[in-house]
Amino acid sequence: MTKAEVTLDEIDAALFRARVPAIAMLRTPNATDPGTPGCWFGGEPTLPAEIPWPYYKPTEREAYGIRYEDPDLAIPMHFLVQINLAHCPRVLGLPLLPKTGTIFVFYDPAVAQATDGIAFTTGTGCKVIYVAEDVHACPPRPAPPMPDLSSTEVAMDYLGTSSFNLWPFVFIITDTYLRESFRGRFFASDLFNKRWDALHLQIKKDIEEHLGPEAADRRRGKPTGPHFIFGASQQEHFPSAEYLKRTFRGRTPALTADHTLLFRFVCDEEVGHRTNTGTYLEFWITREDLEKQIFDNIVVWDY
């Protein structure tokens, strides 16, 4: 049998084994449209007043090769997303999030992204806050003003703002696939490649179903896909995490088999979220911390 001679039954069986569900966070068609209650990107979070706004302060290691002249420099992180867990779907086979409460995600897109990923992999350039109490009555909190960064090295794509654009979103359950499951004759097969392309059109159909054809049309040509919770990456990097550590020395965190992907956030022009590499951020957490509802040990891969 040649490499290209892969049967449809073999392809479907391999895809079934490689399938991993994910919870996609899809922006509403317009920023003014209502989304899932208590869920939105950017804007102002309803973070309780007694919880300090997270700041990023470069450490000596992270600042290696990075120009910043103020030793007391502290940068308020940008608020990225607020997730009301009471409305988040629960999917069989995925790790369990708390049933109630709200998650707030912050990171610094300015100086932290200029540290060649070190600030994220050490967990200092980002912050995930979990609040178990109901926050719907808390007033929106504006971001603290950004300091003067004119003498500081900043990420190439930093836009100089103190906040991202407000945009509500809705949840849908979608499929992701472990691409590393397919080698050799699969990728040499025209039949497999057609099947693979068809699967990746499914997210477009999901968008049309939930948001309408016009919203799907506006999202065509976006190669990075939706933001999502969990998904294939929680499995596809093991045991290949060791390969990634060797390939990207100094940039990858000390992941273990207990780590799971919590979030993947893609570059999003409408929200204003960008990464230094132009692709996406992956937020990782250990399963033990997730079960104990501890979100203080997050590490991030900047791809």
Side-chain angles (χ1 to χ4, degrees):
M1 178 177 287
T2 65
K3 287 185 177 181
E5 293 174 345
V6 182
T7 68
L8 186 59
D9 286 343
E10 286 181 297
I11 292 170
D12 286 342
L15 288 169
F16 179 80
R17 292 191 299 269
R19 174 186 170 274
V20 179
I23 303 167
M25 295 176 280
L26 293 176
R27 288 185 289 98
T28 55
N30 301 290
T32 54
D33 295 336
T36 300
C39 298
W40 60 83
F41 290 101
E44 298 178 348
T46 54
L47 185 70
E50 63 272 16
I51 298 178
W53 191 281
Y55 279 72
Y56 167 61
K57 182 175 176 57
T59 67
E60 183 177 355
R61 176 177 176 232
E62 293 161 5
Y64 178 76
I66 301 300
R67 186 182 77 252
Y68 75 103
E69 298 177 359
D70 182 359
D72 299 319
L73 180 66
I75 306 163
M77 295 187 190
H78 281 40
F79 162 66
L80 178 58
V81 68
Q82 174 168 326
I83 303 169
N84 183 345
L85 294 176
H87 294 279
C88 185
R90 300 176 71 80
V91 181
L92 183 66
L94 291 183
L96 294 180
L97 289 164
K99 294 181 179 179
T100 59
T102 300
I103 283 179
F104 302 86
V105 180
F106 298 81
Y107 80 99
D108 169 47
V111 177
Q113 288 212 60
T115 64
D116 197 27
I118 295 174
F120 289 140
T121 59
T122 57
T124 61
C126 58
K127 183 70 173 178
V128 177
I129 299 174
Y130 170 61
V131 179
E133 296 76 20
D134 187 355
V135 300
H136 85 276
C138 297
R141 283 180 64 179
M146 291 291 288
D148 180 8
L149 299 178
S150 59
S151 63
T152 303
E153 177 117 359
V154 298
M156 179 175 57
D157 288 333
Y158 176 60
L159 300 180
T161 63
S162 60
S163 62
F164 295 129
N165 301 322
L166 171 65
W167 209 300
F169 67 86
V170 297
F171 296 108
I172 66 166
I173 299 171
T174 188
D175 289 335
T176 57
Y177 292 87
L178 304 175
R179 188 173 178 86
E180 290 191 358
S181 298
F182 307 102
R183 299 288 186 185
R185 64 195 189 105
F186 280 102
F187 283 135
S189 166
D190 290 339
L191 184 60
F192 170 79
N193 286 314
K194 289 179 180 178
R195 188 78 173 91
W196 181 264
D197 291 342
L199 286 170
H200 284 75
L201 290 176
Q202 186 61 48
I203 189 61
K204 172 183 174 295
K205 295 179 181 178
D206 292 337
I207 294 172
E208 288 182 346
E209 177 183 350
H210 286 264
L211 303 181
E214 292 183 2
D217 286 341
R218 286 201 296 272
R219 285 165 169 78
R220 286 176 182 162
K222 304 290 185 183
T224 47
H227 312 278
F228 61 77
I229 302 172
F230 303 128
S233 290
Q234 68 194 48
Q235 297 179 20
E236 68 183 337
H237 290 310
F238 299 104
S240 61
E242 290 302 321
Y243 164 77
L244 289 171
K245 289 178 188 176
R246 293 194 301 270
T247 305
F248 303 102
R249 286 189 296 271
R251 291 195 57 198
T252 56
L255 293 178
T256 70
D258 187 48
H259 278 86
T260 186
L261 179 71
L262 180 59
F263 302 119
R264 174 186 271 187
F265 298 112
V266 303
C267 287
D268 192 325
E269 294 179 3
E270 283 82 359
V271 171
H273 157 59
R274 300 183 182 183
T275 69
N276 205 32
T277 55
T279 48
Y280 51 81
L281 299 178
E282 286 187 349
F283 283 61
W284 293 80
I285 189 172
T286 66
R287 291 176 182 269
E288 181 180 2
D289 279 352
L290 189 57
E291 290 173 1
K292 294 180 179 179
Q293 301 180 3
I294 299 172
F295 295 88
D296 294 330
N297 303 314
I298 296 291
V299 292
V300 175
W301 284 6
D302 175 11
Y303 273 90

